[in-house]
PDB file of all heavy atoms in Angstrom:
ATOM      1  N   GLY R 335      69.224  48.676 182.466  1.00  0.00           N
ATOM      2  CA  GLY R 335      69.868  49.666 183.295  1.00  0.00           C
ATOM      3  C   GLY R 335      69.933  49.408 184.799  1.00  0.00           C
ATOM      4  O   GLY R 335      70.388  50.216 185.528  1.00  0.00           O
ATOM      5  N   ALA R 336      69.384  48.185 185.220  1.00  0.00           N
ATOM      6  CA  ALA R 336      69.376  47.951 186.643  1.00  0.00           C
ATOM      7  C   ALA R 336      70.264  46.766 187.056  1.00  0.00           C
ATOM      8  O   ALA R 336      71.104  46.913 187.925  1.00  0.00           O
ATOM      9  CB  ALA R 336      67.948  47.708 187.063  1.00  0.00           C
ATOM     10  N   SER R 337      69.970  45.586 186.450  1.00  0.00           N
ATOM     11  CA  SER R 337      70.656  44.402 186.823  1.00  0.00           C
ATOM     12  C   SER R 337      72.022  44.256 186.019  1.00  0.00           C
ATOM     13  O   SER R 337      72.182  44.852 184.973  1.00  0.00           O
ATOM     14  CB  SER R 337      69.769  43.148 186.601  1.00  0.00           C
ATOM     15  OG  SER R 337      68.668  43.247 187.423  1.00  0.00           O
ATOM     16  N   THR R 338      72.905  43.478 186.598  1.00  0.00           N
ATOM     17  CA  THR R 338      74.161  43.234 185.863  1.00  0.00           C
ATOM     18  C   THR R 338      74.172  41.665 185.558  1.00  0.00           C
ATOM     19  O   THR R 338      73.627  40.895 186.338  1.00  0.00           O
ATOM     20  CB  THR R 338      75.435  43.553 186.668  1.00  0.00           C
ATOM     21  OG1 THR R 338      75.359  42.932 188.071  1.00  0.00           O
ATOM     22  CG2 THR R 338      75.445  45.057 186.911  1.00  0.00           C
ATOM     23  N   TYR R 339      74.885  41.335 184.462  1.00  0.00           N
ATOM     24  CA  TYR R 339      74.910  39.948 184.071  1.00  0.00           C
ATOM     25  C   TYR R 339      76.385  39.590 183.661  1.00  0.00           C
ATOM     26  O   TYR R 339      76.947  40.321 182.857  1.00  0.00           O
ATOM     27  CB  TYR R 339      74.019  39.806 182.794  1.00  0.00           C
ATOM     28  CG  TYR R 339      72.639  40.285 183.000  1.00  0.00           C
ATOM     29  CD1 TYR R 339      72.310  41.595 182.659  1.00  0.00           C
ATOM     30  CD2 TYR R 339      71.616  39.478 183.605  1.00  0.00           C
ATOM     31  CE1 TYR R 339      70.928  42.101 182.857  1.00  0.00           C
ATOM     32  CE2 TYR R 339      70.340  39.962 183.758  1.00  0.00           C
ATOM     33  CZ  TYR R 339      70.050  41.233 183.402  1.00  0.00           C
ATOM     34  OH  TYR R 339      68.746  41.736 183.610  1.00  0.00           O
ATOM     35  N   THR R 340      76.844  38.514 184.262  1.00  0.00           N
ATOM     36  CA  THR R 340      78.247  38.124 184.020  1.00  0.00           C
ATOM     37  C   THR R 340      78.226  36.926 183.041  1.00  0.00           C
ATOM     38  O   THR R 340      77.540  35.945 183.282  1.00  0.00           O
ATOM     39  CB  THR R 340      78.979  37.753 185.327  1.00  0.00           C
ATOM     40  OG1 THR R 340      78.937  38.860 186.206  1.00  0.00           O
ATOM     41  CG2 THR R 340      80.386  37.401 185.015  1.00  0.00           C
ATOM     42  N   ASN R 341      79.009  37.040 181.982  1.00  0.00           N
ATOM     43  CA  ASN R 341      79.069  35.992 181.018  1.00  0.00           C
ATOM     44  C   ASN R 341      80.281  35.068 181.200  1.00  0.00           C
ATOM     45  O   ASN R 341      81.068  35.240 182.157  1.00  0.00           O
ATOM     46  CB  ASN R 341      79.037  36.520 179.580  1.00  0.00           C
ATOM     47  CG  ASN R 341      80.220  37.490 179.272  1.00  0.00           C
ATOM     48  OD1 ASN R 341      81.264  37.353 179.806  1.00  0.00           O
ATOM     49  ND2 ASN R 341      79.976  38.453 178.355  1.00  0.00           N
ATOM     50  N   SER R 342      80.482  34.106 180.325  1.00  0.00           N
ATOM     51  CA  SER R 342      81.543  33.161 180.498  1.00  0.00           C
ATOM     52  C   SER R 342      82.867  33.752 180.152  1.00  0.00           C
ATOM     53  O   SER R 342      83.934  33.107 180.410  1.00  0.00           O
ATOM     54  CB  SER R 342      81.306  31.949 179.600  1.00  0.00           C
ATOM     55  OG  SER R 342      81.408  32.207 178.301  1.00  0.00           O
ATOM     56  N   ASN R 343      82.930  34.949 179.565  1.00  0.00           N
ATOM     57  CA  ASN R 343      84.178  35.641 179.363  1.00  0.00           C
ATOM     58  C   ASN R 343      84.607  36.461 180.609  1.00  0.00           C
ATOM     59  O   ASN R 343      85.637  37.136 180.520  1.00  0.00           O
ATOM     60  CB  ASN R 343      84.028  36.662 178.153  1.00  0.00           C
ATOM     61  CG  ASN R 343      83.746  35.964 176.899  1.00  0.00           C
ATOM     62  OD1 ASN R 343      84.333  34.878 176.565  1.00  0.00           O
ATOM     63  ND2 ASN R 343      82.888  36.523 176.086  1.00  0.00           N
ATOM     64  N   ASN R 344      83.834  36.308 181.727  1.00  0.00           N
ATOM     65  CA  ASN R 344      84.106  36.981 182.927  1.00  0.00           C
ATOM     66  C   ASN R 344      84.002  38.508 182.757  1.00  0.00           C
ATOM     67  O   ASN R 344      84.639  39.303 183.415  1.00  0.00           O
ATOM     68  CB  ASN R 344      85.445  36.638 183.537  1.00  0.00           C
ATOM     69  CG  ASN R 344      85.523  36.894 185.013  1.00  0.00           C
ATOM     70  OD1 ASN R 344      84.510  36.917 185.704  1.00  0.00           O
ATOM     71  ND2 ASN R 344      86.702  37.023 185.567  1.00  0.00           N
ATOM     72  N   GLU R 345      83.145  38.968 181.832  1.00  0.00           N
ATOM     73  CA  GLU R 345      82.714  40.347 181.649  1.00  0.00           C
ATOM     74  C   GLU R 345      81.349  40.552 182.164  1.00  0.00           C
ATOM     75  O   GLU R 345      80.405  39.734 181.894  1.00  0.00           O
ATOM     76  CB  GLU R 345      82.927  40.745 180.188  1.00  0.00           C
ATOM     77  CG  GLU R 345      84.311  40.648 179.648  1.00  0.00           C
ATOM     78  CD  GLU R 345      84.439  41.053 178.181  1.00  0.00           C
ATOM     79  OE1 GLU R 345      83.410  40.996 177.457  1.00  0.00           O
ATOM     80  OE2 GLU R 345      85.581  41.443 177.844  1.00  0.00           O
ATOM     81  N   THR R 346      81.188  41.602 182.890  1.00  0.00           N
ATOM     82  CA  THR R 346      79.905  41.897 183.536  1.00  0.00           C
ATOM     83  C   THR R 346      79.204  43.050 182.841  1.00  0.00           C
ATOM     84  O   THR R 346      79.805  44.141 182.740  1.00  0.00           O
ATOM     85  CB  THR R 346      80.085  42.214 185.071  1.00  0.00           C
ATOM     86  OG1 THR R 346      80.652  41.091 185.724  1.00  0.00           O
ATOM     87  CG2 THR R 346      78.770  42.591 185.744  1.00  0.00           C
ATOM     88  N   LEU R 347      78.024  42.758 182.314  1.00  0.00           N
ATOM     89  CA  LEU R 347      77.282  43.733 181.477  1.00  0.00           C
ATOM     90  C   LEU R 347      76.079  44.318 182.245  1.00  0.00           C
ATOM     91  O   LEU R 347      75.371  43.593 182.908  1.00  0.00           O
ATOM     92  CB  LEU R 347      76.823  43.100 180.172  1.00  0.00           C
ATOM     93  CG  LEU R 347      77.837  42.868 179.073  1.00  0.00           C
ATOM     94  CD1 LEU R 347      78.980  41.918 179.456  1.00  0.00           C
ATOM     95  CD2 LEU R 347      77.107  42.348 177.825  1.00  0.00           C
TER      96      LEU R 347
END
Side-chain angles (χ1 to χ4, degrees):
S337 297
T338 56
Y339 309 92
T340 302
N341 60 30
S342 69
N343 296 323
N344 205 22
E345 295 181 336
T346 299
L347 281 62

